[in-house]
Amino acid sequence: MGAIAGVIRGDGCDVESSLLHEMAATLPIPGDDHAQLWHDGPAGLAGASRYSIHHQMAGQAVDATICFDGRFDNREQLLGLLGDNGNTLRSAPDAHIALALFGRLGERFLQELVGDFALAIWQEQERRLLCARSATGWRPLLWTLNGSSFAFATEPRGLTVGLSHALALNQGLLGEILSARFVSRTETPWQGIFRLAPGGALSFERGHVRTWRWYDDVYEDLSRLSEHEHVERFNILFDQALIACLRSDVPVAAHLSGGLDSSAIMCRATELHRAGRIDRPPGAISARYPGEPHDETRWSALVERHLGISARIVADSAHDIDASRSWCADTLLFPVRPNSLGPTLSACRLMQQLGERVLLTGEGGDDWMNGSHAHWPDLFLSGQVGSLLREGFPHGLDRSFVGNARRVLAQGIGPIVSERRRRRAVWPFVDPATPLPPWIRTEWAGQVGLAERWRAESHGDDLPGFAQKRRSAALAPAHRELVFDPVLACVARHGVELRHPFHDLRLVRFFMGASGGMLLRDGQRKHLLREAMRNTLPEPIRTRRDKAGFAAPIIDATAQYFDQRPATELLAARMGWVDGAVVGQLFAGHRAWRNSGLAGPAPNPFLTGIWACVAVDIWLENAFKLRS
């Protein structure tokens, strides 16, 4: 919630004070806080919080200045690494601890950090800047090099202020967005502006930029643990993550949808409070959608009765196209997706009234615990054929033998012998062999190299086994930057910080090594969470198999936009990037489906791509100022 920005002159000239003030003016300032500025010769830093910047004088461990956004979730461990000095920092802000650790360990201190952060450290004597993002990478950090000047910021507007070179579109990345197949982790829609990857680091020294990945973990293979041992270890780590995420000087709220993930967070946090392990439980906030198919009142009400609490109820906020236009113009970010924007705005407005500044979410539950069959080839290669057959034929050999046998061969043996199946097994988001989405113009796709982008993308190559390669995609999926960065920026403007307990790095390490059969069993996803939450969750929620779909808000917002500007008039259609007629035809099916009450399956699977075309149109016109 403490957005940061900074500029370094590689030629040694002083940074203009006016430029630093202009960059600071782009930062969202929470509540009654004010921007903090630090300026010394060729370096200037700005932070949105009074705790964002900390300078350590010469004669201490290091003569350096840190610009910090985020939090650490393992403070006690970090203070222990500082020895006697740790006692003096026990009540200090996290930025002070980070700088003290840097002074003691150098860049190796990054390996010790658990939490959610983006930081920059300027060393005056060495004239060197170090930037880094946390391993899970929820706090964004963008950068650019313009001649001899290097600049960084958590939002793009901070980098466009005062830059002398003309900004140009990165059509290749826009192609990924329009296709709804995101793979790039370091590019942005602007040429010359880049994103530091999650778990990545960067140095700027003598006018040159060097990037590398500091997070390179080796995950313990936990697949042979018993079910009881899996559950026991998960519960310990889940409690640890919740306690860390609940650390706050002000009351904390938790989103309660009635789904398995958010209900687990609310119920277990309440148990921790009643056991005396935390001072206060989070206050539940539930969004209600009366009459809509995605209304989950009956499920969240079950949790309320189970815990003996009353959730604060918020209504959905209607999507406002003009507000999305203003948002893009003001922030240069893409619009917040309609299914996220309404409940997020309503929750943030309520939290402002109540003085709450932290909101826990169930984000990450699907990413880490839905499971897949990517571990089946690992079972075969490790000689655990019996386990493979038990999972592949859960009801024995007398039911659906042919179908189960085909599935075992395709998903258990296929990835070992087939390159295409291997890629599909470990890279769930993009299959290069899949045809272009029907609305993408083939000629333009060739010009921007879309197929080459998807083919070249790789991840987890240095990890052992199919399962770990597959799961590593959840560590830092590219689409998160495009979907969640606008949400994070939106809540920051209301003085709210989102925290995601299921993305705690210690839990992530556990998920990376866990048995695949503990995640997905007999077709039931989140088996591990369900077993761990026995006697914690209301039983109907613990055993719930369905999940609310939130297509309606996206359909409504898209219909509103196309009523103002037909799909054939989209800027991307005029530019020859997409076929607007195809977009319109595909959306007509969704509009009719919505008008019929969303009965039956969706008419086509392309709604995400259709909304991407709308979002790009709003962004092109209002952020990039493209008019023709």
Side-chain angles (χ1 to χ4, degrees):
M1 200 174 67
I4 57 176
V7 59
I8 309 294
R9 292 288 300 268
D11 56 10
C13 295
D14 288 354
V15 168
E16 302 90 339
S17 178
S18 59
L19 172 58
L20 187 59
H21 279 84
E22 288 177 356
M23 295 182 74
T26 70
L27 301 175
I29 309 299
D32 58 355
D33 220 329
H34 56 84
Q36 186 180 11
L37 302 179
W38 180 88
H39 184 199
D40 185 16
L45 306 175
S49 164
R50 71 193 71 180
Y51 304 116
S52 297
I53 298 175
H54 175 56
H55 177 67
Q56 193 160 280
M57 302 296 293
Q60 296 177 279
V62 62
D63 180 10
T65 305
I66 188 170
C67 196
F68 183 84
D69 173 27
R71 72 178 193 280
F72 296 144
D73 291 336
N74 62 333
R75 279 176 58 99
E76 286 300 318
Q77 175 188 340
L78 299 179
L79 292 171
L81 292 173
L82 292 171
D84 293 339
N85 191 31
N87 293 326
T88 65
L89 294 173
R90 189 158 296 278
S91 60
D94 288 351
H96 296 211
I97 296 174
L99 199 55
L101 284 167
F102 176 68
R104 172 162 292 205
L105 302 175
E107 291 177 4
R108 291 187 297 109
F109 89 105
L110 294 170
Q111 302 286 347
E112 306 295 337
L113 305 180
V114 172
D116 183 15
F117 61 85
L119 60 82
I121 297 176
W122 169 248
Q123 295 174 269
E124 171 61 28
Q125 294 299 320
E126 293 81 0
R127 297 294 177 96
R128 181 176 186 268
L129 181 76
L130 169 70
C131 297
R133 287 179 71 193
S134 57
T136 52
W138 282 95
R139 311 278 173 143
L141 195 64
L142 311 178
W143 65 273
T144 188
L145 180 61
N146 180 21
S148 61
S149 295
F150 175 89
F152 68 89
T154 47
E155 294 184 14
R157 180 168 289 282
L159 299 183
T160 61
V161 172
L163 298 181
S164 59
H165 67 281
L167 291 169
L169 286 175
N170 178 354
Q171 290 193 31
L173 187 74
L174 287 175
E176 293 182 19
I177 298 171
L178 289 167
S179 303
R181 299 182 188 176
F182 318 117
V183 296
S184 300
R185 289 182 172 87
T186 59
E187 296 184 38
T188 73
W190 314 92
Q191 288 187 26
I193 294 181
F194 304 95
R195 183 183 308 278
L196 189 60
L202 172 154
S203 66
F204 177 66
E205 189 174 14
R206 300 186 183 90
H208 297 287
V209 172
R210 181 175 74 91
T211 62
W212 69 96
R213 181 170 174 79
W214 69 262
Y215 181 73
D216 187 20
D217 212 344
V218 176
Y219 303 104
E220 183 182 3
D221 181 6
L222 305 173
S223 61
R224 295 183 184 272
L225 291 181
S226 68
E227 178 162 320
H228 173 76
E229 290 169 327
H230 270 90
V231 168
E232 184 177 45
R233 190 172 299 200
F234 168 81
N235 277 328
I236 291 172
L237 294 173
F238 187 40
D239 288 354
Q240 188 179 51
L242 285 171
I243 291 169
C245 284
L246 287 163
R247 178 172 67 95
S248 174
D249 295 330
V250 295
V252 176
H255 174 63
L256 175 62
S257 68
L260 186 59
D261 303 327
S262 67
S263 299
I265 286 173
M266 190 66 221
C267 288
R268 186 57 190 147
T270 303
E271 287 183 341
L272 290 172
H273 168 65
R274 292 171 179 172
R277 298 181 62 187
I278 56 175
D279 293 336
R280 58 192 169 203
I285 296 181
S286 289
R288 299 284 164 86
Y289 310 89
E292 293 286 2
H294 49 282
D295 183 65
E296 296 206 294
T297 299
R298 68 187 183 100
W299 296 106
S300 57
L302 274 175
V303 175
E304 293 179 68
R305 290 196 297 270
H306 178 72
L307 297 178
I309 64 170
S310 295
R312 285 79 55 83
I313 307 304
V314 296
D316 194 14
S317 297
H319 190 266
D320 186 332
I321 292 294
D322 288 334
S324 287
R325 293 186 176 107
S326 297
W327 167 265
C328 290
D330 293 342
T331 67
L332 306 188
L333 292 163
F334 283 89
V336 182
R337 287 198 305 182
N339 58 332
S340 300
L341 181 61
T344 298
L345 283 177
S346 296
C348 287
R349 289 165 181 162
L350 175 62
M351 292 175 67
Q352 280 184 307
Q353 298 173 14
L354 300 175
E356 296 172 340
R357 293 293 179 263
V358 175
L359 178 62
L360 304 190
T361 82
E363 171 63 36
D366 289 348
D367 294 333
W368 293 113
M369 292 183 290
N370 267 350
S372 72
H373 292 141
H375 66 288
W376 279 8
D378 296 333
L379 292 177
F380 182 83
L381 292 172
S382 63
Q384 301 179 67
V385 178
S387 296
L388 172 59
L389 294 177
R390 281 191 295 273
E391 291 190 29
F393 297 86
H395 305 292
L397 300 180
D398 58 336
R399 292 184 58 186
S400 305
F401 175 82
V402 175
N404 286 336
R406 287 175 176 170
R407 187 176 58 166
V408 169
L409 289 173
Q411 299 182 38
I413 311 300
I416 300 173
V417 299
S418 166
E419 174 62 31
R420 182 181 178 186
R421 288 190 178 277
R422 180 157 52 250
R423 185 177 178 92
R424 290 178 64 183
V426 303
W427 182 231
F429 301 119
V430 176
D431 180 359
T434 302
L436 278 173
W439 60 90
I440 299 293
R441 295 282 190 183
T442 304
E443 182 178 353
W444 179 67
Q447 292 172 358
V448 300
L450 270 181
E452 289 76 12
R453 284 172 165 267
W454 296 326
R455 192 175 299 114
E457 179 60 26
S458 63
H459 68 96
D461 290 339
D462 55 344
L463 293 172
F466 288 81
Q468 286 197 10
K469 288 181 172 65
R470 167 83 174 217
R471 293 173 198 172
S472 70
L475 188 62
H479 69 269
R480 183 199 293 165
E481 315 287 359
L482 299 165
V483 173
F484 287 101
D485 278 8
V487 176
L488 295 174
C490 177
V491 301
R493 281 157 175 77
H494 290 81
V496 173
E497 175 192 2
L498 295 182
R499 296 183 182 176
H500 316 295
F502 287 120
H503 281 293
D504 182 284
L505 187 58
R506 294 159 296 193
L507 261 177
V508 166
R509 288 167 174 153
F510 167 74
F511 291 139
M512 285 293 295
S515 165
M518 283 297 301
L519 304 177
L520 175 63
R521 179 172 296 182
D522 296 351
Q524 184 183 64
R525 299 188 180 280
K526 301 182 182 177
H527 174 75
L528 172 61
L529 182 62
R530 296 173 194 276
E531 291 303 305
M533 292 296 105
R534 284 186 183 274
N535 303 316
T536 294
L537 284 175
E539 195 63 10
I541 291 180
R542 193 187 73 83
T543 57
R544 181 183 177 186
R545 286 179 176 260
D546 65 329
K547 189 176 180 69
F550 281 81
I554 300 177
I555 295 173
D556 292 346
T558 303
Q560 181 187 0
Y561 195 77
F562 284 165
D563 287 344
Q564 297 179 12
R565 172 177 290 175
T568 53
E569 296 300 313
L570 294 173
L571 291 171
R574 296 185 199 176
M575 299 291 290
W577 302 348
V578 304
D579 187 328
V582 172
V583 174
Q585 291 167 6
L586 290 170
F587 181 68
H590 285 284
R591 189 193 291 255
W593 184 52
R594 170 65 166 148
N595 292 337
S596 68
L598 282 70
N604 61 66
F606 298 127
L607 184 60
T608 299
I610 294 169
W611 169 252
C613 292
V614 172
V616 167
D617 199 66
I618 299 173
W619 184 87
L620 284 172
E621 186 171 46
N622 298 280
F624 193 74
K625 307 297 183 184
L626 182 64
R627 303 297 184 194
S628 59

